[in-house]
Each structure stands twice: as structure tokens, then as C-alpha cells.
Amino acid sequence: MTIRAVHHPDVALHHPEAFFKRGQMVPMPELPRRASAAVELLTARGAALELAPDYGPAPRGAVHTPELLRYLETAHARWTARPGFSDIIIPNVFQGPGMSGYPTDILGLAGYHASDLSAPICAGTWAAVAAAANVAVHGARIVAETGEAVYAACRPPGHHASRDRIGGFCFLNNAAIAAQEMLPLLAAEGRRPRVAILDVDAHHGNGTQEIFWEREDVYFVSLHADPAEFYPYLAGFRGEVGEGRGRGFTRNYPLPVGTSEVDYLDALADALDLIHAYGPSALVVSLGFDAYEGDPYQGLKVSTPGFSRLGGMIAALGVPTLLVQEGGYAIDDLQANLASFLDGFEGTTIKGNDKNA
Ligand SMILES: [Zn+2]
């Protein structure tokens, strides 16, 4: 099996130079090169590469609030129209308890719609995040309609973006938008409208968790460095399992910072057993490569060959799969890590199935 791939050049238009971290502005590691490197690799491997069309506002509106979408689309123009404002939006007010009003001023909006200071908005941000969402949607449609595996070259990443808030380099939740897009398509194909999202990024996918918190038709499972000592610090603990109809349909595997590859893959095997038991008709993988031992964030210790194991184990589920690019900041090693993952993913023979899928 050779994977299909979806991309769009506009994802490069988001290019803030810095973000606020540990009390100071530091260089932004989430760079356009992260997507172009992946596209180059897939091209070199002979993957069928498709340009995502524009699906308009409906798919992102099925996941995010109208307020957030209106804000993101207009924010930079409103911000830069004000005298003395910089070319980049980083909020300086936040909503606290008892502050229930929806703001009208751009300064209030910037704080209201952010969960932290690490999602700076620049002139090209809206075009880039809309393109990334289209990449995810196009990939989702192929997976749901054909059962083929697809890699979606999304960036900026999405899994920290909740219904109403941006954060952690994320603006629109590409994986969530993809899962939501798949559900009616699967039903139309006569398949059970159930999707699992497996988040293997080193950071907890707090945005995805929030979006599907009370849902039983999207099962969210995340492996990540323990939020007791790692971003996002405020979500991703083991006791978070969803609520209401969604109770039991969110599962978290917080792993101690520095967890070895062997222990990581053990946890992954456990997570994959849960997904198998859920019986989804499609799988969305929030594919971050920052669990890599050489990643600057140093959360987990997966080696380059280890990503091949990861890919093989995921493919062995035998579920139509969309791979959505999330984090991973060791940019010089990104192609090697993605190549290793795809070697394992594409080379896996599914048990009990004679097609080499
Ligand atoms: Zn991450």
C-alpha cells in the first residue's frame, strides 16, 4: 500500500517569528518548513499528492464557534488598524471567573479566544489555518469514501484548539474537523458512524478532548508526556474520561517525562486495544513527531526506528486511517521520522485480511 497525501501551499502563510514563553519572546519553532518537508518526502516516495479544494466555512463551523471563526478571520486587520499596535497579535488580557461578557474590542477578543500566549496571529494566519482545515477535510472525505489511508500535511497544528479558543501553536482543530466530516459520510456508506482519534503527539490534545468531551460517536485517546510536568499542564490527566453520553469515550495516557520507547509502545498497545474494542469505522491519528527523543521539547524518547513500530501498530488495527500532522519540532529529522513511520504503516499486513493494506 502506498499512502495518498493531501496538501495546500497556503499553509505556509502563517509565519510568526516569535512567541511568548517563560517570561520572554523566543523564536517560533512551528515553521512552514514543517509542512513543505513532509510534502517533499511524500513526493520522493511516490505518494499520490492531491491539492485540497476549498470546502468553505461549513466544515470548520461544525466544530468551532461562529465567534471564534469571525474573530480569526478579521482579527489581524482589526488589530493592525489600531495606532501603536504591532504586526502580531498576542493578547494581554484574559477572561477570569465572574467576567462573563463577550468582548467587542479587539484587545478583549484576543484574550477571550486564547487559552495561552503561544498562538500568535500574523497577516497570513487565517489563510493558512483555513487551508490546513481544507487539507484535513479533503483527506477525511477520501478516507471515509474509499477506505484508503491518507496523510494530511496540515500546519499549523490543531489539537490544542478547542471549540472557542486557540493556544499552543493551534488555531483550528484539523483532526476534530476531519473526524466530524467523516461521520455523515460513513453513515451514508452504510457504515457505523463512529470515529476514533488517536493522539500520539507528545503534548495532550486538550482541544480535541474538549470538543468531543460529551460525545460517544468520537472516541478520543491521547498518549502524552504527563501534564503534571509538561504542556498543557491543565489537562490530560488519567481521570479525564468524558462526561454525560461521552463518559468513557475519552481516555488519557499521561506518561512520565522521559518515558522510554519500550514503555511508550506498551502504552500504545494498550490504547490500540481500547480503540479496537470501540470498533470505529475510521481512525484519525493526530500525528505529532515531538515524542521523538531528539525533539527540542524533550517529552518522550521515541527513536527514529521506533516510529516505524508506531506506524506498524496503528496500521495493524485495519481501520481506514487519516494521518493529520500535528507537532514535531526537530525539523532536520522530520523527514526521517515521517519516512520511518510510513515504512511501518505502509508495510504492515493486517491480520486476518488478505489485502496488504
Ligand atoms: Zn506537540
Side-chain angles (χ1 to χ4, degrees), residues 319-345:
V319 177
T321 298
L322 175 68
L323 307 170
V324 175
Q325 186 63 54
E326 298 280 3
Y329 305 100
I331 292 176
D332 290 346
D333 297 331
L334 199 63
Q335 288 184 335
N337 288 337
L338 177 56
S340 174
F341 181 93
L342 293 174
D343 286 345
F345 186 84

Side-chain angles (χ1 to χ4, degrees), residues 200-222:
V200 297
D201 187 282
H203 302 93
H204 175 244
N206 57 297
T208 315
Q209 172 170 294
E210 188 260 0
I211 289 165
F212 298 113
W213 185 244
E214 296 186 60
R215 296 266 296 270
E216 58 190 346
D217 53 349
V218 178
Y219 189 52
F220 175 67
V221 184
S222 181

Side-chain angles (χ1 to χ4, degrees), residues 177-239:
I177 291 169
Q180 185 68 40
E181 181 77 12
M182 286 175 172
L183 291 168
L185 297 173
L186 293 168
E189 301 272 325
R191 285 145 72 200
R192 200 166 168 237
R194 287 200 156 197
V195 176
I197 300 177
L198 171 66
D199 190 323
V200 297
D201 187 282
H203 302 93
H204 175 244
N206 57 297
T208 315
Q209 172 170 294
E210 188 260 0
I211 289 165
F212 298 113
W213 185 244
E214 296 186 60
R215 296 266 296 270
E216 58 190 346
D217 53 349
V218 178
Y219 189 52
F220 175 67
V221 184
S222 181
L223 281 81
H224 46 268
D226 193 337
E229 48 183 344
F230 204 69
Y231 184 90
Y233 298 104
L234 300 162
F237 299 99
R238 195 170 289 276

Side-chain angles (χ1 to χ4, degrees), residues 20-21 33 40 54-55 78 86 94 121 175 180 291 299 304 312:
F20 191 74
K21 181 186 180 187
R33 177 69 191 141
E40 281 170 21
D54 183 3
Y55 286 98
R78 292 182 64 182
S86 74
F94 282 99
I121 294 174
Q180 185 68 40
T304 297

Side-chain angles (χ1 to χ4, degrees), residues 163-183:
R163 268 189 294 257
D164 205 25
R165 285 183 165 79
I166 64 175
F169 309 157
C170 299
F171 301 85
L172 297 179
N173 195 314
N174 304 313
I177 291 169
Q180 185 68 40
E181 181 77 12
M182 286 175 172
L183 291 168

Side-chain angles (χ1 to χ4, degrees), residues 97-354:
M99 302 161 75
S100 59
Y102 186 70
T104 53
D105 191 274
I106 187 63
L107 273 165
L109 288 165
Y112 181 93
H113 286 297
S115 58
D116 59 42
L117 302 181
S118 47
I121 294 174
C122 62
T125 299
W126 173 250
V129 300
N134 284 326
V135 169
V137 170
H138 193 56
R141 296 184 72 91
I142 295 171
V143 171
E145 289 170 353
T146 72
E148 291 181 66
V150 177
Y151 171 85
C154 295
R155 72 96 22 203
H159 71 151
H160 298 307
S162 65
R163 268 189 294 257
D164 205 25
R165 285 183 165 79
I166 64 175
F169 309 157
C170 299
F171 301 85
L172 297 179
N173 195 314
N174 304 313
I177 291 169
Q180 185 68 40
E181 181 77 12
M182 286 175 172
L183 291 168
L185 297 173
L186 293 168
E189 301 272 325
R191 285 145 72 200
R192 200 166 168 237
R194 287 200 156 197
V195 176
I197 300 177
L198 171 66
D199 190 323
V200 297
D201 187 282
H203 302 93
H204 175 244
N206 57 297
T208 315
Q209 172 170 294
E210 188 260 0
I211 289 165
F212 298 113
W213 185 244
E214 296 186 60
R215 296 266 296 270
E216 58 190 346
D217 53 349
V218 178
Y219 189 52
F220 175 67
V221 184
S222 181
L223 281 81
H224 46 268
D226 193 337
E229 48 183 344
F230 204 69
Y231 184 90
Y233 298 104
L234 300 162
F237 299 99
R238 195 170 289 276
E240 296 167 14
V241 295
E243 277 185 286
R245 292 166 66 92
R247 185 166 180 81
F249 295 96
T250 288
R251 294 297 288 267
N252 283 296
Y253 290 82
L255 306 167
V257 166
T259 288
S260 70
E261 179 174 297
V262 169
D263 290 346
Y264 181 88
L265 293 173
D266 273 355
L268 177 66
D270 203 70
L272 291 169
D273 284 345
L274 292 180
I275 291 172
H276 178 73
Y278 178 69
S281 300
L283 175 70
V284 176
V285 180
S286 267
L287 185 59
F289 284 100
D290 43 11
Y292 175 47
E293 61 187 356
D295 192 86
Y297 286 99
Q298 288 291 300
L300 301 166
K301 296 288 180 194
V302 179
S303 66
T304 297
F307 282 112
S308 191
R309 298 273 311 279
L310 203 87
M313 289 166 72
I314 292 170
L317 269 181
V319 177
T321 298
L322 175 68
L323 307 170
V324 175
Q325 186 63 54
E326 298 280 3
Y329 305 100
I331 292 176
D332 290 346
D333 297 331
L334 199 63
Q335 288 184 335
N337 288 337
L338 177 56
S340 174
F341 181 93
L342 293 174
D343 286 345
F345 186 84
E346 294 178 331
T348 298
T349 303
I350 295 162
K351 288 184 227 94
N353 189 336
D354 61 4

